[in-house]
Structure formats: structure tokens, C-alpha cells
Amino acid sequence: MDHLKELDRYFNEHREAHLAELKDFLSIPSISSLSEHKTDMRKAAEWLAGSMKAAGLENITIDDTPGHPVVYADWLHAEGQPTLLIYGHYDVQPVDPLNLWDSEPFKPEVRDNKLYARGASDDKGQVFMHVKAVEALFKTNGTLPVNVKFCIEGEEEIGSPHLPKYVADHKDKLAADVIVISDTGMQGPGQPAVCYGLRGLAGVQIDVKGAKGDLHSGLYGGGVRNAIDALVELLASFRDKEGTITVDGFYENVLPATEEERAEYAKLGFDEEALKKELGVNELFGEPGYSYMERTWIRPTLEINGIFGGFSGEGIKTVLPSEAGAKITCRLVPDQDPDEIVAKLRAHIEKHKPAGVELSVTEFDKGKPFLTPYDHPAIQAAGKSFEAVYQVPTAYTRGGGSIPIVAAFDEILGLPVVLMGFGLSSENFHAPNEHFHLENFDKGLRVIGDYYFEVSDALPAAE
Amino acid sequence: MDHLKELDRYFNEHREAHLAELKDFLSIPSISSLSEHKTDMRKAAEWLAGSMKAAGLENITIDDTPGHPVVYADWLHAEGQPTLLIYGHYDVQPVDPLNLWDSEPFKPEVRDNKLYARGASDDKGQVFMHVKAVEALFKTNGTLPVNVKFCIEGEEEIGSPHLPKYVADHKDKLAADVIVISDTGMQGPGQPAVCYGLRGLAGVQIDVKGAKGDLHSGLYGGGVRNAIDALVELLASFRDKEGTITVDGFYENVLPATEEERAEYAKLGFDEEALKKELGVNELFGEPGYSYMERTWIRPTLEINGIFGGFSGEGIKTVLPSEAGAKITCRLVPDQDPDEIVAKLRAHIEKHKPAGVELSVTEFDKGKPFLTPYDHPAIQAAGKSFEAVYQVPTAYTRGGGSIPIVAAFDEILGLPVVLMGFGLSSENFHAPNEHFHLENFDKGLRVIGDYYFEVSDALPAAE
């Protein structure tokens, strides 16, 4: 714990300088989705490369892609020690509507110990923390207890279109023992979390076609299949009234959470009443036998995301609709495979094909679920570092959504991923008045610094 | 049958004069929906009144309503004989798109023994036939074998907003033994039909509300009820997979068609293969145990006319929708009551309320089903007159749709209604190039003339 004291002293001493630097980084409008910011994107990449160089990182390159560049850097002199691959992004979301911002999005401002700027929390602030943690270790420890590689992209907010190819093309350069990402949130204020699993995604659009065109429901009603009626019959077959999905083999490859994990979730003391109030519902609903948290973290689900057909204007139109459609997507958990799930959905649709209509099925983009085992030493090490700084037990969580790039890293590099984020869900990322609680900026710097020691102790060395 | 020979001779002799008169009537652009034709509407009413006077009708009045006037006329000197109330309309549909007409809509033109003009078939041509049939009887027979009352409105094409009140206000003046309407079609070319029943209508919109707003399907999916999913569950409960409606008591008051009626329908030799080809479907679909014709004529049904919820754009949006809705309408048959059916739908919805959401139900306008018994002498008399002229068996049919004014007459005056129409479904009413087959104009004049004798024999005298 001595290094933690050293880090504490160092970060206290340099706090104003670090904040000034971060504000400088945040003042570059690196909006990846808007072509007029193309030069700002490169400017941000160059700023970051400069900051990495000042921190003591080596082999810094700004690697071009067909879109915005990836910034790479490393330090690989911790012989016999494991290697961390740090992923993050220097691009940000657009800022409109501008009039809803209390201060300008690219003129960072501290109010009430929160730093307001686009990208403060998502993700420039957190990327900056990793760079400064490295710098602090060099200054206080003289060296790093692990090897590190940084891979910071500029296209996360537009879906990382070129990163999977970049990672595949640079597989050897990016080889590591564990991937560390700080682009997620804490469990709540004062409550650190390490996220070790995410759900995947697979889905289809179902289009139903009956007669050539819409028919008069008086003349034909009762004698010709109604496309909406057929669709409803089919959709109703996907789950039972209790919420269990009835697609053959749907749950087949679901890896059950361990008793230990479920006990951890139960300890988090989730407040269902507060959630009901927040959502404005009288009751929660889901698969029997699981808590709300388990339903959204460790269980797969099937949602109808949209449905359409016939007349949806005001009042009545007595039409017998000839077309209807629905979009359904499944959130998947380990070890469900998106391709297999789509095949099972197709088989289910075939088996339950309603009479009197034709069906067509279109597949959506898929995403694999991801899981680093709960008891993986890199996960547990992160939890320890959080606890050392925050002085409360770390929440070991999963996420219900997907982070496509995590699945891509998992798939291409085959490495465990540690999601240790310092954001809070209240921090308006993707919205006006994005901000970052400086309490978590300060503590996070120490957590990351500490983690290098913890993970060095916990992980076996790379071969 | 002697009177038929006389009528034949008379109509042959006056064919050109009658056609010229009808063309004159059709050249008045009596479009009820367009306010710039308000004076044309009155002009058409006056033209009709003049024609009625020339035919020998009496007590002719042009009765104002808050909209377009009703033309009334009668002849009530057939003492001891029944009274017919003839309903029709002198207003027509708009004509756009004008460029799709081969000849001008208000410059009637005969081509290939078809009279082209807006209103030729629907309904000025058929109204004119009734007037000329009366005239012909006076000229050939010296008197009418029945009493007649004409009630010809000017607002049928805009939904008859003022006729129900007019009928209710003039209940005594309109008292009769049977209502005759020629505003429907024949069963097919050369195939006359008497329609003696129509379906009614009742329906509701169901709105489902889950959480306050749409949610991220990753974060909440599996733990919060999806509004579309809830709606699908509810809608699926309305019928079984075979197409039978499962709402408690839905079929309770359905008056079964007699064996005789069903035998008549079977004799019509409906071509299901031709219908499938026309509609572009591989199979027809409906309630087991009934033919296509029975499903659409004598059986009630429940259609989902529209459904909506969530994301319906291109591609994928992984939203957990908070709102969804559907419009459903039932076609009803005698003796189902629309109010009772709505109450049963409400009870069903209450009983099958899905968990985790709130529902609201909005009622649509209702229409009662209508039925004059198949063996009613006024119906059978119409069939005989058709057969006498067309020399083929008459089809005794029902209609799957509703004609609101028929239900209103049925309800207010409580009289049997005979629907004897001379149009063909191919005649483009409500579309460009509306026309009327003069073969049916010629034969129809004779059918109507003959019907006065037949119905006089068949019906008991009014008290």
C-alpha cells in the first residue's frame, strides 16, 4: 500500500496541472460523426499522442484507418510481467441541442466539483486518467509493474466501423494478457463496480404478406387471413404468459451463473420499488425464478422492438390488412451463439407459420455475449484496487446491453476483459451538460495506479 | 305476365327518350361533398322532382335538411294494397382524378352499350329507373298495383349525416310495408341477386402503456414488460388458431342461417380458386365448418385493422417500447347487438389483461346487423321478378359489409328491406369512368315494373 500513498501525494500535488491539461484535451471538438470536425479528430489524436509521450510511453503511432486514426503507444520493459491492453476512445458525441447546455460543451468548466464538457466522462476524461496513471507510476515508482499497450480509437461513437479490422490486422502488436476498458459506469455514487459480462444480440424482422392489397373488412372479413392476426399468432408463440421464451433450445447453451455470483448480486440490495417508481409501472415483469438484476444480467430475453400493419391513424378504418411486420431482438448471455439463436428463431417461425400468409425473415446484425469469469484474477484484482481507494466493497456486475467493441476484442484477441469505469449514469453522456464527478476522477487515478500493482501480483507473466 | 309484355313494349318504344332524360339528369354535377356544388345539388333535386311529377307521382316536396335536401313523392291510391318506400340518392362521388376519365364525367356518353357518367350506376341511374317504372305502369296499366313513397336523399356519399333524423321526424309520412333500395350490385353479369342481410359493426381501440418512456432493451430487457409483447398476448387471446373467436358469449346471439339458405348459397357455386388467384393467396382462411361465402355473410368476425408500437423504420433499434396499440372491429350478424358485443370485448380484455402494463379501451361507432328473413314474401317476390326478366334463378345473398342507412331504416321504421340492385362491381362507382351496363338498365326497368305486381300479390295489405 506504500505505492498508494505515493500516488496520493503525486496526484494531490499535480491536481491543478492535470485538470488544466484535461480541459485542454476536452476543448478540442472531436466529434467523429460530423465531417467538418475531421481536422479536430486528428488534432485530438495528436494531443493524446503528445500527452502519452510526456507520460513516458513509447512507440507512439497515429495509425490511419479509412476513418479516423487509432492512437497506439506502449511500454514493454516489465520483463516477466503481464501485459495490459488499455482501450478507450478520444471521439465524442455531437452536442446539439446547444441551447440546453449551461456552459459551452468545448469550454470545460468546473462547477460544484464536477467538470462540465462534452467527453468529460465519455471517454476522454477516463482515457486521460490512464495516461496520467502511467505518468504517476514513472514519477513515483520509476518504472511500471506491468507492461502496457494503449489502443485509443476515434470512432467509438459511430459504432467502431474500422476497429475490428485494425485489431485483426495488428493482432501481434496488440497481444496482451488482459484488456482494460474504462468506458462504463460505477454501480452508483460512491459504489465502485467491475463489470465482467455483457449480453449479446441477435434478431430478425418478420414480414407477413397476405392478399395482394388491403381488403374491405366487410366484404372479405372472416374469409381471408388478416396479416396482423397471423403475425400476432406467431409472435404470441415466442413466449409463455409468465415470460419464459418458448423457442426450442433457446436456453440450451446458457451458462448458469454460479451460486457465488448470484449471492453477490443479492448483496447489492437492488431497490425494486425505486425502479418501479422511476419507470412509472405498477409491477415489474420477467422470467419466473430470477430477480430483476438476474433477468437483465444473466438471462437472455426476446423483445419485440417494433410492430406495424394496417391503419394506425385516428379513428376507424375497416381494413383487412395485407401486410404486417415486427422486429424482434434477443439479448444473449454466455454461451449462447448469435448464429445458432437466429437458426432457432427461424426454425420456430417455420414451425409456427400461420395459415393463409407468406412470411419473410431478415436477420439483423449480431453481437456475441461476453464473459470474463467472475473469479478471474484480473477481475478480482480490479475489485481490490477499487476497495483500497473507495473503502467500500466493490460490486461485481454484468451489463444487460452490449458493447460491440468488447465482443470484437473478446473474439479477435481471445483475452479476458476488465471493465472498470468511473462514470455515473447521471452524467449526461450523449446529452447536453455532460459532466464528470471530479471525486471519481481523483479516486480513479489512484485506483488505476494501484491496479497495475494488483494485477502484476495476480496474473501469471506472459510467456 | 301480360303486364310484362306491356312494359316491354313501352320501354322499347321510349328507350331513346328515357336515355336522353337520364343523360340530362347525369349532366348535373351533384357532388355532395364539395360546397361549390351546393346549387347543383338543389338543381338535381328539382330535376328529380320534375321527373317524378311527369311520371304521375304526387305530394312532391323538396325537404330541406341542415345539409342537402331530401326529395319526397308518393302515390297512395291503391286502396287495400301494400305500400313500398323507395330509397335512393341523387348525390354522387367527386370525380378526380379527372385525367383518368375517357369521357367527361358530366357529359354522359354511351359506348359499347354502357352509359359512362358519374352517377350512372351509383345511384342516379337506378333512382331514375324507379321513377320510369312508375310512369310506365301509369301509361300501360292506368294505375299502380301498390302504393309508393319515394325518399331520395342527397347525402349518401357523405355518410347520410341528416337522414336518420329526417326519417325519425317523418316516421308517419314514411310509414310503409317494405323498403326497396336499388343501390347495390348484382351477383355478377347476367346473375341477378336479392340481398336480404348485411353485417353490423362494433369495435374498440386498445392502448397499452408500460413504462413512462421507451427503454433501452439491453439495460431493461427481461425485467420490464414490453408494451408490444403485452398487446400481442392480449390480441392472441381473441381467437384460436383455427379462426374461431374465443370471446365469451361472442356467438351467443348469432341467428343460425336456415338449411334452406345454406343450400341456396351452396348452389351459387362460388369459385374459391378464382378468388385465391384474384387475391394472390395460397389458401383462404376462416372459421371451420363454414364455406367462404358463409364466413363472410352469415358469420361474425373480428379483425385487427391496425397495430402500432415501437420502432418501425428501416433496420434495427433495440428499444423496449412503452406504448403500443391496436384497432379491432367485429362484423356482426343478426341478432348480435353492437353494444352487447362491445361489453363482451371489454370483459374479455379485462379477463386477459396482461401483467405489467395499463390498458385503455376506446369504442368506435357501431352499426347494427340487418336481416329481412330469407322467406319474407317481399324478398321472394323480388327474386321472382328478376327471374321473369333475366330467365335465370335469382341469387339470394347477404352482404358482408354494412350500409349504415339500411340499418337506420331498419331500426327507426322497423320495416323489412329489399335490396334489389342493378349495378355490377366492375362499374367503377367511386372511381374514374363510372358506367352502367344498359342491358341491366333495360332489364331492370322491367324487373321493377313487374315487382309492383309481384309484391302486391305477395304482401298482405297495410292496415
Side-chain angles (χ1 to χ4, degrees):
Chain A
M1 293 278 279
D2 269 359
H3 53 260
L4 203 46
K5 270 189 200 149
E6 285 300 302
L7 287 169
D8 200 44
R9 186 189 51 73
Y10 181 82
F11 287 126
N12 276 337
E13 241 167 51
H14 294 81
R15 189 173 193 259
E16 288 318 302
H18 288 168
L19 265 186
E21 275 182 60
L22 175 55
K23 283 181 181 176
D24 198 32
F25 189 25
L26 291 173
S27 62
I28 306 170
S30 51
I31 304 173
S32 51
S33 64
L34 302 176
S35 56
E36 66 258 38
H37 289 286
K38 202 169 160 48
T39 55
D40 293 318
M41 290 304 298
R42 180 154 289 269
K43 206 174 145 193
E46 282 166 358
W47 191 98
L48 182 61
S51 177
M52 286 166 161
K53 194 168 166 55
L57 288 163
E58 302 172 348
N59 300 314
I60 300 165
T61 53
I62 296 179
D63 296 337
D64 282 328
T65 73
H68 303 300
V70 174
V71 182
Y72 175 86
D74 64 30
W75 187 90
L76 304 171
H77 307 296
E79 219 173 305
Q81 291 302 318
T83 303
L84 305 191
L85 174 61
I86 318 280
Y87 164 82
H89 63 94
Y90 65 86
D91 65 324
V92 300
Q93 281 276 320
V95 296
D96 43 276
L98 200 53
N99 62 318
L100 294 184
W101 286 78
D102 293 329
S103 56
E104 286 185 40
F106 299 111
K107 290 197 175 158
E109 197 176 293
V110 176
R111 299 195 296 275
D112 196 19
N113 205 32
K114 286 171 263 187
L115 176 58
Y116 284 83
R118 171 59 86 227
S121 172
D122 178 17
D123 183 41
K124 282 157 115 179
Q126 300 200 48
V127 164
F128 180 78
M129 287 158 71
H130 276 277
V131 176
K132 287 295 137 183
V134 165
E135 184 178 290
L137 287 173
F138 281 126
K139 301 283 172 152
T140 59
N141 193 49
T143 184
L144 301 187
V146 289
N147 302 294
V148 292
K149 297 177 177 179
F150 277 74
C151 171
I152 312 296
E153 72 156 323
E155 295 189 304
E156 198 271 349
E157 300 294 3
I158 53 174
S160 304
H162 303 108
L163 197 70
K165 186 175 184 310
Y166 177 87
V167 173
D169 289 351
H170 297 81
K171 227 173 140 171
D172 291 340
K173 179 172 167 176
L174 298 175
D177 295 286
V178 62
I179 299 171
V180 176
I181 302 180
S182 299
D183 192 22
T184 51
M186 300 178 40
Q187 183 68 2
Q191 173 59 72
V194 177
C195 178
Y196 64 99
L198 294 168
R199 292 198 289 190
L201 192 70
V204 294
Q205 174 157 336
I206 304 171
D207 287 287
V208 178
K209 174 84 180 158
K212 270 178 196 167
D214 287 351
L215 301 174
H216 186 294
S217 83
L219 300 179
Y220 298 92
V224 178
R225 191 71 195 257
N226 178 317
I228 299 179
D229 181 59
L231 178 64
V232 161
E233 180 191 311
L234 175 59
L235 292 177
S237 72
F238 279 102
R239 51 203 303 171
D240 67 18
K241 284 202 169 68
E242 279 68 46
T244 303
I245 296 154
T246 50
V247 174
D248 278 349
F250 186 78
Y251 295 104
E252 205 170 80
N253 296 315
V254 170
L255 197 69
T258 63
E259 283 310 308
E260 200 182 351
E261 285 177 273
R262 296 184 71 178
E264 282 289 333
Y265 305 152
K267 273 199 292 187
L268 292 175
F270 184 77
D271 186 346
E272 296 203 351
E273 288 307 312
L275 181 69
K276 290 197 290 193
K277 211 173 155 191
E278 180 193 329
L279 300 180
V281 296
N282 289 329
E283 53 183 329
L284 297 173
F285 179 84
E287 199 187 352
Y290 296 93
S291 70
Y292 171 80
M293 210 165 262
E294 290 172 339
R295 287 168 177 168
T296 55
W297 285 1
I298 63 171
R299 298 300 293 173
T301 186
L302 183 150
E303 298 295 341
I304 307 172
N305 307 114
I307 193 165
F308 45 93
F311 176 70
S312 59
E314 208 177 309
I316 188 175
K317 186 176 177 190
T318 52
V319 69
L320 194 163
S322 68
E323 294 184 356
K327 295 167 190 279
I328 61 177
T329 51
C330 300
R331 295 285 175 174
L332 307 180
V333 298
D335 289 325
Q336 289 181 301
D337 177 77
D339 289 315
E340 259 181 47
I341 289 296
V342 167
K344 285 170 181 171
L345 292 178
R346 283 187 181 277
H348 180 92
I349 291 165
E350 190 53 42
K351 186 175 160 190
H352 292 82
K353 185 183 177 301
V357 291
E358 297 302 311
L359 299 180
S360 70
V361 175
T362 314
E363 296 179 19
F364 293 134
D365 284 348
K366 304 182 189 88
K368 288 199 177 178
F370 140 77
L371 186 74
T372 299
Y374 163 73
D375 53 6
H376 191 284
I379 296 290
Q380 293 295 323
K384 277 191 202 164
S385 294
F386 270 117
E387 286 172 14
V389 175
Y390 280 85
Q391 301 289 318
V392 294
T394 298
Y396 293 91
T397 67
R398 299 206 204 180
S402 314
I403 305 181
I405 199 60
V406 172
F409 273 122
D410 187 35
E411 199 174 339
I412 301 167
L413 299 179
L415 297 178
V417 180
V418 178
L419 296 169
M420 47 193 299
F422 301 95
L424 285 173
S425 60
S426 63
E427 289 178 334
N428 292 359
F429 19 94
H430 299 207
N433 296 318
E434 178 178 346
H435 57 277
F436 191 24
H437 284 71
L438 290 178
E439 180 197 339
N440 296 321
F441 173 74
D442 293 328
K443 287 186 173 156
L445 284 164
R446 289 148 176 88
V447 170
I448 296 169
D450 186 67
Y451 183 59
Y452 281 25
F453 293 99
E454 287 289 351
V455 80
S456 161
D457 289 349
L459 278 191
E463 70 283 4
Chain B
M1 293 275 281
D2 269 358
H3 53 260
L4 203 45
K5 271 188 198 151
E6 285 299 302
L7 286 170
D8 200 44
R9 186 188 52 75
Y10 181 83
F11 286 127
N12 277 338
E13 242 168 49
H14 295 81
R15 189 174 193 260
E16 289 317 303
H18 287 169
L19 265 186
E21 274 182 59
L22 176 53
K23 284 182 179 174
D24 199 30
F25 188 26
L26 292 172
S27 62
I28 306 168
S30 51
I31 303 173
S32 51
S33 64
L34 302 176
S35 57
E36 66 258 40
H37 289 286
K38 199 168 162 47
T39 57
D40 293 317
M41 291 304 300
R42 179 153 291 268
K43 206 173 146 192
E46 282 167 357
W47 190 99
L48 181 61
S51 177
M52 286 167 161
K53 194 167 166 57
L57 288 163
E58 301 173 349
N59 300 314
I60 301 165
T61 53
I62 296 179
D63 296 338
D64 283 328
T65 75
H68 304 301
V70 174
V71 182
Y72 175 85
D74 64 30
W75 187 91
L76 303 171
H77 306 298
E79 217 171 307
Q81 293 300 320
T83 302
L84 307 190
L85 174 61
I86 319 280
Y87 164 82
H89 62 95
Y90 65 86
D91 65 323
V92 300
Q93 281 276 320
V95 295
D96 44 273
L98 200 54
N99 62 319
L100 294 184
W101 286 78
D102 294 327
S103 56
E104 286 186 37
F106 298 111
K107 289 198 176 159
E109 195 176 295
V110 176
R111 299 194 298 273
D112 195 19
N113 206 33
K114 286 171 264 186
L115 177 58
Y116 285 83
R118 172 59 86 228
S121 173
D122 177 17
D123 182 44
K124 282 157 115 178
Q126 301 199 49
V127 165
F128 179 78
M129 286 159 70
H130 276 277
V131 176
K132 287 296 136 181
V134 165
E135 183 178 290
L137 287 172
F138 280 127
K139 299 286 172 153
T140 59
N141 191 52
T143 185
L144 301 186
V146 290
N147 303 293
V148 293
K149 296 176 176 179
F150 277 73
C151 172
I152 312 297
E153 72 156 322
E155 296 188 305
E156 198 272 347
E157 300 293 4
I158 52 173
S160 304
H162 303 107
L163 198 70
K165 185 174 186 312
Y166 176 87
V167 174
D169 289 351
H170 298 82
K171 225 173 142 172
D172 291 340
K173 180 173 166 176
L174 298 175
D177 297 285
V178 61
I179 298 170
V180 176
I181 302 180
S182 300
D183 192 20
T184 51
M186 300 176 41
Q187 184 67 1
Q191 173 60 71
V194 178
C195 178
Y196 64 98
L198 294 169
R199 293 197 287 190
L201 191 71
V204 294
Q205 174 159 335
I206 303 171
D207 287 286
V208 178
K209 175 84 181 158
K212 270 179 194 167
D214 287 352
L215 300 174
H216 186 294
S217 82
L219 300 181
Y220 298 91
V224 178
R225 191 70 195 258
N226 177 318
I228 299 179
D229 181 60
L231 178 65
V232 161
E233 178 191 311
L234 176 60
L235 292 176
S237 72
F238 279 102
R239 51 200 305 170
D240 67 18
K241 285 203 168 69
E242 280 67 48
T244 302
I245 295 152
T246 48
V247 173
D248 278 349
F250 186 78
Y251 294 105
E252 202 170 82
N253 296 317
V254 171
L255 198 68
T258 64
E259 283 309 309
E260 202 181 349
E261 286 177 272
R262 296 185 69 177
E264 281 290 332
Y265 305 153
K267 273 199 293 189
L268 292 176
F270 183 78
D271 187 346
E272 296 202 352
E273 289 307 313
L275 181 70
K276 289 197 292 193
K277 210 172 155 191
E278 181 193 330
L279 299 180
V281 295
N282 288 329
E283 54 183 329
L284 297 174
F285 178 84
E287 199 187 352
Y290 296 92
S291 70
Y292 171 79
M293 209 164 264
E294 290 172 339
R295 287 168 177 169
T296 55
W297 286 359
I298 64 172
R299 299 298 294 173
T301 187
L302 181 151
E303 299 293 342
I304 307 171
N305 307 114
I307 193 164
F308 45 92
F311 176 70
S312 59
E314 208 178 310
I316 188 175
K317 187 176 175 189
T318 51
V319 69
L320 194 165
S322 68
E323 293 185 357
K327 295 166 189 281
I328 62 177
T329 52
C330 300
R331 296 287 175 173
L332 307 179
V333 299
D335 289 324
Q336 289 180 301
D337 178 78
D339 290 315
E340 261 181 46
I341 290 295
V342 167
K344 286 170 181 170
L345 292 178
R346 282 186 181 278
H348 180 92
I349 292 165
E350 190 53 40
K351 187 175 159 189
H352 293 83
K353 185 182 177 302
V357 292
E358 296 304 311
L359 300 179
S360 70
V361 175
T362 314
E363 296 179 20
F364 294 133
D365 283 349
K366 305 182 188 88
K368 287 199 177 177
F370 140 76
L371 185 74
T372 300
Y374 163 73
D375 54 6
H376 191 285
I379 296 292
Q380 293 296 322
K384 278 191 203 164
S385 294
F386 270 118
E387 285 172 14
V389 176
Y390 279 86
Q391 301 289 319
V392 294
T394 298
Y396 293 92
T397 68
R398 299 206 203 181
S402 315
I403 305 181
I405 199 59
V406 172
F409 273 123
D410 186 36
E411 198 174 340
I412 300 166
L413 299 178
L415 297 178
V417 180
V418 178
L419 297 167
M420 46 192 300
F422 302 94
L424 287 172
S425 60
S426 62
E427 289 178 333
N428 292 359
F429 19 93
H430 298 205
N433 296 317
E434 178 177 347
H435 57 278
F436 191 23
H437 283 72
L438 289 178
E439 180 196 339
N440 296 321
F441 173 74
D442 293 327
K443 287 185 173 158
L445 284 165
R446 290 148 175 87
V447 170
I448 296 169
D450 185 68
Y451 182 58
Y452 281 25
F453 293 101
E454 287 289 352
V455 80
S456 161
D457 289 350
L459 280 191
E463 70 282 4

